[in-house]
């Protein structure tokens, strides 16, 4: 191992940027899968209100299970692989996504739903073309929390065979007494989390142009309201 800043021990069998890619892959895939799973589950909770408390209870209990306990259970089935790290992260994301989506969808005014129904939108189209777009700020807020949490938790995978992305550097830094490796791990993980959060903030700005901004001028009187525009776009 040479003394370059981004030189890492050969036992990791990867470059620094390769570890960055591994870290992002293990962090973002579970978040994406968790969001896909949470969308229909949240819709069921909205339609069947009695279902929401038990679903929230189950997701909270699963979130309380330490990742190491998940590893112990999963390692016999998925081995020391990325999958063993990603499954718990996907499950953890549900405790953020389900309440965020349910609260966002429930915040849609009833008159808006009635207007969408009157325009001929069925439950599925109304959910995806009216309710979810209006609930986008709450959903993206949940996505930010889930993404940053997942990026930070990936490092625990270093305990099951170098599957922790940048967390592997933290482990090797302690083994070889190399503070440089520890800093590369900690700072690199923090930078990834900050960049991911900033990107999601930009996405929120782009997908919710109707939300008020600090430096935006007041909407002209003759400009259609956001909910009305959303309904018209959905019908088109």
């Amino acid at each position: 191992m040479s003394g370059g800043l981004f030189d890492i021990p050969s036992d990791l069998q990867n470059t620094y940027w390769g570890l960055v890619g591994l870290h992002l892959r293990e962090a973002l895939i579970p978040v994406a899968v968790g969001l896909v799973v949470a969308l229909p589950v949240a819709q069921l909770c909205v339609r069947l209100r009695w279902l929401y408390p038990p679903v929230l209870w189950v997701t909270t209990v699963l979130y309380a299970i330490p990742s190491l306990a998940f590893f112990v259970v999963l390692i016999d089935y998925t081995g020391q692989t990325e999958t063993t790290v990603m499954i718990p992260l996907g499950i953890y994301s549900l405790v953020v996504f389900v309440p965020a989506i349910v609260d966002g969808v429930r915040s849609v005014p009833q008159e808006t739903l009635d207007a969408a129904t009157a325009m001929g939108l069925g439950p599925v189209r109304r959910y995806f073309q009216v309710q979810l777009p209006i609930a986008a700020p709450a959903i993206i807020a949940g996505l930010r929390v889930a993404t940053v949490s997942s990026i930070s938790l990936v490092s625990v995978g270093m305990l099951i065979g170098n599957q922790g992305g940048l967390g592997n550097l933290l482990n090797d830094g302690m083994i070889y007494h190399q503070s440089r490796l520890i800093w590369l791990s900690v700072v690199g993980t923090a930078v990834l989390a900050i960049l991911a959060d900033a990107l999601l903030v930009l996405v929120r700005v782009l997908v919710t142009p109707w939300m008020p901004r600090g430096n935006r001028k007041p909407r002209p009187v003759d400009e259609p309201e956001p909910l009305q525009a959303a309904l018209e776009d959905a019908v088109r």
Side-chain angles (χ1 to χ4, degrees), residues 30-39 42 52 89-104 138-147:
V31 171
V33 173
L35 179 60
V36 171
V37 172
L39 286 172
Y52 184 44
L89 296 181
I91 294 174
Y92 291 158
S93 69
L94 295 178
V95 78
V96 178
F97 282 136
V98 173
I101 298 173
V102 170
D103 292 344
I139 296 173
I140 294 177
L143 184 60
R144 291 174 62 189
V145 174
T147 300

Side-chain angles (χ1 to χ4, degrees), residues 50-73:
W50 61 266
L51 187 61
Y52 184 44
V55 167
L56 192 60
W57 181 84
V58 170
T59 56
T60 303
V61 169
L62 290 174
Y63 187 80
I65 299 176
S67 54
L68 287 179
F70 270 119
F71 293 162
V72 171
V73 174

Side-chain angles (χ1 to χ4, degrees), residues 95-161:
V95 78
V96 178
F97 282 136
V98 173
I101 298 173
V102 170
D103 292 344
V105 170
R106 283 181 176 175
S107 68
V108 178
Q110 183 60 44
E111 56 268 23
T112 302
L113 300 178
D114 295 338
T117 303
M119 290 181 177
L121 298 183
V124 176
R125 289 186 63 192
R126 187 175 60 199
Y127 180 57
F128 284 101
Q129 297 182 2
V130 177
Q131 291 174 289
L132 287 184
I134 295 175
I139 296 173
I140 294 177
L143 184 60
R144 291 174 62 189
V145 174
T147 300
V148 172
S149 298
S150 185
I151 290 175
S152 64
L153 289 173
V154 164
S155 297
V156 182
M158 68 183 179
L159 301 175
I160 58 165

